[in-house]
């Protein structure tokens, strides 16, 4: 006898979707601080042994983040990510097949405020990554400082996140059996300071490290553009040269992360809060750009591949922008 459950009511579905987004935001804005506080506080309680044992484990396991991490498929497939997907909603679209016998380097654009599309599409199975790209294991690069936080490092590794350094990237790209995809949010934290609705400005003109990395490993480059990524939050005006922008750049140099002053809607009202707007995000993955392997490429060779990448990314944007209500006169701007 097959037991059937009644579908959830729409209000309940909405509450669960909103709760999943709150959890995601809290994970990256508050969980790191809570993990640090808990690790230190436990030393002053009768549970001091927990932190002591974890410290020993942390020392033994310190190289794991740069060696591909430790993904946990149960967490990647957790139902909470499907509610988060449906909140916006977020979708993943492919335009070409990826050969599982090869490794790939994906440039993800734009960063947005909190990189919702990058996280959900590459660090969870909510959008069906494994079904769209069978035989491909995704990895997403994240600022290295997050992997220095006790407990939190294990949480982010569970989704396939690895530190944003050359050693971690090379470990993934040099695997001879192939089947690995390394996603890099090329614009990084600095690009987040320009993330606002209707903005198509990408910090990419002088960012060529990922291109050099692809050439050194002979890894095909794959452009990916996430339509709607900049639309889910408003940001306090911070034009270049303003006092706010100078403070944000100063803090970024010190802390390594940017601090955009963003806002959107609240949990129980829609006028102001830190919950993102319900606006669709669609990440479109382009076709691979073949790259000839060369351990020490010249600046001219890097520039040539970089320009080819810019052209392919622009073509991808122009080809698909009409589907996502982007005005015809809007084009990518590289700075």
């Amino acid at each position: 006898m097959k037991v059937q459950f009644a579908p959830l009511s729409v209000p309940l579905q909405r509450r669960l979707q909103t709760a999943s987004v709150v959890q995601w935001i809290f994970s990256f804005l508050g969980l790191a601080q809570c993990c640090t506080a808990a690790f230190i506080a436990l030393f002053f309680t009768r549970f001091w042994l927990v932190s002591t044992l974890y410290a020993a484990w942390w020392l033994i396991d310190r190289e794991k983040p740069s060696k591909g991490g430790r993904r946990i498929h149960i967490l990647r497939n957790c139902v909470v990510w499907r509610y988060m997907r449906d909140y916006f909603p977020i979708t993943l679209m492919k335009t070409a097949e990826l050969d599982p016998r090869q490794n790939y380097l994906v440039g993800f654009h734009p960063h947005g405020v909190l990189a919702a599309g990058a996280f959900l599409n590459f660090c969870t199975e909510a959008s069906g990554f494994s079904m769209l790209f069978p035989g491909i294991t995704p990895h997403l690069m994240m600022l290295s400082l997050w992997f220095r936080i006790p407990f939190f490092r294990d949480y982010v590794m569970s989704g396939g996140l690895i530190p944003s350094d050359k050693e971690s990237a090379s470990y993934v790209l040099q695997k001879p059996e192939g089947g690995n995809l390394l996603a890099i949010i090329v614009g990084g934290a600095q690009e987040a300071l320009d993330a606002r609705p209707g903005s198509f400005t990408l910090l990419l003109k002088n960012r060529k490290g990922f291109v050099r990395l692809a050439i050194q490993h002979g890894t095909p480059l794959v452009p990916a553009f996430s339509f709607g990524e900049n639309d889910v939050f408003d940001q306090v005006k911070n034009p270049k040269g303003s006092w706010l922008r100078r403070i944000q750049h100063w803090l970024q140099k010190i802390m390594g992360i940017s601090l955009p002053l963003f806002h959107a809607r609240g949990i129980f009202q829609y006028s102001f809060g830190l919950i993102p707007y319900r606006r669709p995000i669609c990440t479109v993955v382009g076709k691979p750009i073949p790259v000839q392997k060369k351990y020490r490429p010249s600046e001219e060779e890097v520039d040539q591949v970089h320009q080819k990448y810019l052209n392919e990314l622009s073509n991808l944007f122009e080809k698909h922008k009409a589907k996502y209500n982007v005005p015809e006169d809007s084009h990518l701007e590289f700075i």
Side-chain angles (χ1 to χ4, degrees):
M1 178 178 179
K2 185 177 180 180
V3 179
Q4 293 184 340
F5 296 93
L8 297 175
S9 64
V10 173
L12 180 55
Q13 289 180 3
R14 287 294 182 95
R15 287 196 291 270
L16 290 172
Q17 291 166 7
T18 303
S20 69
V21 174
V22 172
Q23 175 189 331
W24 162 65
I25 294 175
F26 175 75
S27 296
F28 290 95
L29 297 183
L31 186 56
Q33 290 85 344
C34 291
C35 287
T36 303
F39 178 75
I40 296 173
L42 285 173
F43 278 113
F44 301 95
T45 70
R46 60 179 178 176
F47 301 106
W48 59 270
L49 187 59
V50 174
S51 289
T52 303
L53 291 175
Y54 184 84
W57 161 251
W58 192 0
L59 181 64
I60 297 171
D61 196 55
R62 64 186 181 278
E63 299 296 331
K64 191 63 178 178
S66 60
K67 302 297 182 183
R70 184 186 300 104
R71 66 185 57 238
I72 301 176
H73 292 288
I74 293 178
L75 293 181
R76 282 179 58 89
N77 286 279
C78 184
V79 66
V80 70
W81 306 130
R82 294 198 289 275
Y83 284 121
M84 177 180 166
R85 172 200 66 195
D86 295 337
Y87 173 88
F88 293 96
I90 295 177
T91 54
L92 179 64
M93 174 184 172
K94 73 174 181 180
T95 60
E97 297 293 338
L98 298 185
D99 187 350
R101 295 170 296 181
Q102 280 192 306
N103 297 318
Y104 296 92
L105 195 159
V106 172
F108 182 92
H109 315 272
H111 183 286
V113 172
L114 294 177
F119 172 78
L120 193 129
N121 287 318
F122 297 116
C123 298
T124 81
E125 287 296 332
S127 57
F129 182 92
S130 295
M131 291 185 290
L132 281 174
F133 302 103
I136 303 292
T137 301
H139 301 266
L140 178 64
M141 300 199 83
M142 185 181 189
L143 284 174
S144 301
L145 68 89
W146 297 113
F147 295 88
R148 301 169 190 159
I149 300 174
F151 304 122
F152 187 75
R153 66 188 288 273
D154 301 279
Y155 168 71
V156 295
M157 278 197 295
S158 69
L161 285 156
I162 61 173
S164 56
D165 55 55
K166 187 175 182 179
E167 179 186 1
S168 302
S170 296
Y171 182 86
V172 172
L173 297 179
Q174 69 188 7
K175 289 187 175 181
E177 66 274 15
N180 290 284
L181 181 151
L182 178 65
I184 300 177
I185 306 177
V186 182
Q190 188 175 344
E191 189 177 79
L193 299 178
D194 290 313
R196 49 179 45 86
S199 173
F200 300 105
T201 301
L202 302 181
L203 188 61
L204 185 57
K205 189 175 182 179
N206 295 313
R207 300 229 164 174
K208 303 175 183 178
F210 73 106
V211 175
R212 186 180 299 275
L213 187 66
I215 296 175
Q216 290 174 341
H217 292 88
T219 306
L221 280 166
V222 183
F225 192 87
S226 196
F227 291 91
E229 193 74 46
N230 284 340
D231 297 339
V232 296
F233 287 105
D234 290 317
Q235 189 171 169
V236 175
K237 291 183 178 181
N238 58 342
K240 293 181 180 179
S242 65
W243 65 269
L244 177 57
R245 190 64 166 246
R246 288 196 295 269
I247 291 174
Q248 289 173 324
H249 278 306
W250 178 69
L251 290 174
Q252 183 184 350
K253 290 179 181 179
I254 296 176
M255 303 169 61
I257 58 175
S258 64
L259 297 172
L261 298 180
F262 61 91
H263 60 90
R265 50 157 288 194
I267 298 177
F268 303 109
Q269 43 77 30
Y270 296 89
S271 57
F272 188 84
L274 297 180
I275 309 302
Y277 296 119
R278 286 180 177 269
R279 293 173 181 170
I281 298 173
C282 182
T283 301
V284 181
V285 180
K287 63 181 181 180
I289 303 170
V291 174
Q292 185 176 359
K293 185 175 182 179
K294 190 171 184 179
Y295 182 67
R296 291 185 177 179
S298 65
E299 291 297 327
E300 292 76 13
E301 289 170 324
V302 172
D303 290 343
Q304 184 179 8
V305 176
H306 183 260
Q307 187 58 52
K308 185 182 296 184
Y309 180 86
L310 295 183
N311 294 338
E312 288 294 333
L313 179 60
S314 295
N315 292 338
L316 182 71
F317 176 82
E318 296 295 333
K319 183 178 180 179
H320 296 276
K321 68 180 184 180
K323 302 176 187 176
Y324 306 106
N325 301 317
V326 177
E328 182 63 29
D329 60 350
S330 293
H331 309 283
L332 293 183
E333 179 186 0
F334 303 122
I335 59 173

